[in-house]
């Protein structure tokens, strides 16, 4: 089936109305959640504490894994979002994501691993200390941000489930809960929910792959994929799946959401690559946010989003024009 409908993200930037910027403190700690947080062990892991919305996290800065480019302001990073579960407008996620209930949060782990099961989120985070990594995020729509993420290396998170040698891919799924996610109720949606993503196992185990539970020192706002989302900085943003409830280890390559919608436009690999244009627009440059209509902050896009030293070897011998 050929999808003729233009996805909203193909709109030129000039047609996107910037959101007005307000810090959205819509949630308060409940007594029960505050008690859980207070039980957290010392050390930099807010180890074991639930990612309570708005909570400050403890973490270790990782300068070797961070860019020193200027941060995209918190207000922009949390009000200009893609999270189609809440609508296709950049302002929709911030507007509507407060309907998402992020605690308690259960993550189902299944497939080729010896420690599968249904886990409370805090239990799979507990063994790990949080780190801060300042990464570039490059959306396939050709805008980009610089975000200080807080979280744990994906490899550490996954290793605790003891994947078997048969696990060649890891698959992730976002929550499917139409009562909380108005975009999943929409009759106009082209997405077959839930949102799905995946990585080759060696990509997932690369030191850059990160599971974030916070940004700018605080727990992840819902619009950014709270309580837990993937961050794969050398790939287009759509690989960085939000609000994850399922992790599955597989022998075969999973089908992923944007590849399912338009396989000629969005591939499984989705490595940032200025040499391979999107069929409908160039990928040579990007607009670094904040970027206004009259002060567009254009810059050249870098291959692998500038992370080639760490990841280029994963793709040695592969034709990146074919495996886009
Ligand atoms: N579940 C889910 N995850 C998602 C998306 C989405 O629509 N649904 N959008 C993706 C896209 S296209 C991008 S660019 C990033 C944006 O992350 P941000 O809003 O935190 O900047 O989230 C990705 N993760
Ligand atoms: Mo994106």
């Amino acid at each position: 089936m050929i999808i003729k409908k233009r996805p909203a993200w193909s709109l030129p930037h000039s047609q996107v109305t910037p959101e007005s910027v307000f810090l959205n403190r819509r949630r308060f700690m409940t007594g029960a959640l505050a008690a859980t947080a207070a039980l957290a062990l010392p050390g930099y892991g807010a180890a074991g504490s639930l990612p309570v919305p708005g909570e400050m996290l403890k973490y270790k800065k990782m300068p070797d894994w961070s860019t020193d480019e200027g941060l995209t302001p918190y207000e922009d990073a949390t009000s200009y979002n893609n999270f189609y579960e809440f609508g296709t407008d950049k302002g929709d996620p911030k507007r509507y994501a407060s309907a998402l209930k992020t605690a308690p949060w259960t993550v189902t782990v299944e497939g080729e691993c010896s420690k599968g099961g249904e886990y409370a989120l805090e239990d799979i985070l507990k063994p790990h200390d949080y780190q801060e990594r300042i990464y570039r995020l490059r959306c396939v729509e050709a805008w980009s941000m610089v975000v200080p993420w807080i979280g744990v290396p994906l490899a550490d998170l996954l290793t605790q489930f003891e994947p078997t040698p048969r696990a060649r891919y890891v698959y992730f799924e976002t929550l499917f809960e139409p009562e909380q996610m108005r975009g999943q109720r929409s009759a106009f949606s082209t997405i077959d929910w839930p949102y799905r993503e995946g990585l080759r196992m060696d990509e997932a185990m690369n030191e850059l792959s990160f599971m974030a539970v916070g940004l700018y020192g605080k727990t992840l706002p819902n619009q950014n994929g709270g309580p837990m989302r993937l961050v794969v900085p050398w790939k287009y943003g759509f690989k960085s799946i939000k609000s994850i409830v399922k992790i599955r280890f597989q022998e075969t390559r999973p089908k992923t959401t944007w590849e399912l919608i338009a396989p000629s436009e969005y591939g499984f690999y989705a490595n940032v690559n200025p040499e391979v244009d999107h069929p409908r627009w160039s990928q040579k440059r990007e607009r670094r946010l904040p970027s206004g209509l009259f002060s567009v902050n254009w810059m050249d896009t870098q291959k692998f989003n500038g992370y080639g030293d760490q990841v280029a070897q994963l793709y040695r011998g592969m034709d990146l024009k074919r495996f886009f």
Side-chain angles (χ1 to χ4, degrees), residues 9 82 138-141 143 236-238:
W9 71 17
N82 277 331
R138 179 21 166 112
C139 176
V140 73
E141 300 163 347
W143 52 266
Y236 291 122
F238 64 85

Side-chain angles (χ1 to χ4, degrees), residues 256-324:
T256 52
T257 287
W258 282 99
E259 190 192 7
L260 283 163
I261 293 170
S264 60
E265 303 191 6
Y266 310 101
F268 172 80
Y269 283 96
N271 292 318
V272 174
N273 193 343
E275 295 151 28
V276 180
D277 285 337
H278 185 281
R280 290 182 284 125
W281 61 86
S282 166
Q283 294 293 24
K284 288 190 175 50
R285 295 201 300 160
E286 66 200 58
R287 302 176 309 266
R288 177 63 52 85
L289 300 185
S291 179
L293 188 51
F294 300 105
S295 58
V296 183
N297 199 6
W298 285 109
M299 56 181 71
D300 288 344
T301 286
Q302 305 176 73
K303 196 165 184 178
F304 299 115
N305 204 21
Y307 298 102
D309 285 350
Q310 290 95 331
V311 301
Q313 84 281 355
L314 294 169
Y315 311 104
R316 209 173 311 150
M318 271 175 69
D319 177 358
L320 297 176
K321 290 202 161 66
R322 190 163 158 239
F323 297 100
F324 59 87

Side-chain angles (χ1 to χ4, degrees), residues 24 26-27 33 51-53 83 85-86 92-106 121 173-185 220-229 241-245:
N24 187 3
R26 59 196 143 54
R27 293 237 179 147
L33 291 174
V52 178
F83 199 169
E85 282 82 343
F86 297 104
D92 284 341
K94 177 172 174 177
R95 203 172 292 128
Y96 300 117
S98 58
L100 176 65
K101 205 170 159 268
T102 56
W105 192 267
T106 305
L121 178 60
E173 229 173 70
T174 295
L175 181 71
F176 177 69
E177 198 61 80
E179 282 187 11
Q180 295 175 34
M181 299 174 132
R182 69 197 317 270
Q184 294 177 335
R185 304 196 290 268
L220 272 184
N222 290 359
Q223 62 267 33
N224 293 91
M228 181 173 84
R229 61 92 55 87
I241 181 174
K242 296 177 168 180
S243 304
I244 294 168
V245 293

Side-chain angles (χ1 to χ4, degrees), residues 31-282:
L33 291 174
T36 311
L39 285 176
L41 299 166
Y44 3 127
S49 68
L50 268 176
V52 178
E55 184 201 342
M56 297 302 293
L57 297 169
K58 287 190 189 151
Y59 55 86
K60 181 181 174 187
K61 288 186 181 291
M62 302 299 277
D64 290 353
W65 298 102
S66 296
T67 169
D68 53 13
E69 287 159 274
L71 303 182
T72 296
Y74 177 89
E75 285 74 14
D76 296 277
T78 58
S79 65
Y80 186 92
N81 300 103
N82 277 331
F83 199 169
Y84 277 32
E85 282 82 343
F86 297 104
T88 53
D89 234 67
K90 292 289 181 284
D92 284 341
K94 177 172 174 177
R95 203 172 292 128
Y96 300 117
S98 58
L100 176 65
K101 205 170 159 268
T102 56
W105 192 267
T106 305
V107 180
T108 303
V109 180
E110 58 188 34
E112 291 294 339
C113 65
S114 23
K115 298 238 166 100
E118 291 204 353
Y119 294 94
L121 178 60
E122 57 271 30
D123 290 337
I124 63 177
L125 295 174
K126 202 178 311 187
H128 312 285
D129 287 340
Y130 291 152
Q131 305 180 356
E132 180 190 70
R133 305 235 186 145
I134 305 170
Y135 282 161
R136 292 177 286 275
L137 176 86
R138 179 21 166 112
C139 176
V140 73
E141 300 163 347
W143 52 266
S144 64
M145 301 194 292
V146 175
V147 181
W149 302 104
I150 316 286
V152 303
L154 182 63
D156 294 351
L157 190 89
L158 296 182
T159 303
Q160 69 186 331
F161 307 121
E162 297 179 6
T164 72
R166 280 223 283 268
R168 293 188 53 227
Y169 295 90
V170 57
Y171 164 88
F172 303 92
E173 229 173 70
T174 295
L175 181 71
F176 177 69
E177 198 61 80
E179 282 187 11
Q180 295 175 34
M181 299 174 132
R182 69 197 317 270
Q184 294 177 335
R185 304 196 290 268
S186 165
F188 301 102
S189 174
T190 50
I191 296 182
D192 178 19
W193 308 106
Y195 193 97
R196 300 145 217 234
E197 259 309 331
L199 294 170
R200 231 168 48 191
M201 209 55 196
D202 59 344
E203 297 178 315
M205 302 310 275
N206 185 277
E207 318 173 81
L208 278 175
S209 297
F210 203 59
M211 194 64 104
V213 296
L215 46 71
Y216 296 85
K218 288 189 268 190
T219 49
L220 272 184
N222 290 359
Q223 62 267 33
N224 293 91
M228 181 173 84
R229 61 92 55 87
L230 195 63
V231 183
V232 194
W234 73 95
K235 293 177 178 282
Y236 291 122
F238 64 85
K239 298 294 291 183
S240 292
I241 181 174
K242 296 177 168 180
S243 304
I244 294 168
V245 293
K246 185 175 284 187
I247 300 174
R248 186 196 302 137
F249 298 97
Q250 306 189 169
E251 251 187 297
T252 54
R253 192 172 101 179
K255 287 279 182 202
T256 52
T257 287
W258 282 99
E259 190 192 7
L260 283 163
I261 293 170
S264 60
E265 303 191 6
Y266 310 101
F268 172 80
Y269 283 96
N271 292 318
V272 174
N273 193 343
E275 295 151 28
V276 180
D277 285 337
H278 185 281
R280 290 182 284 125
W281 61 86
S282 166

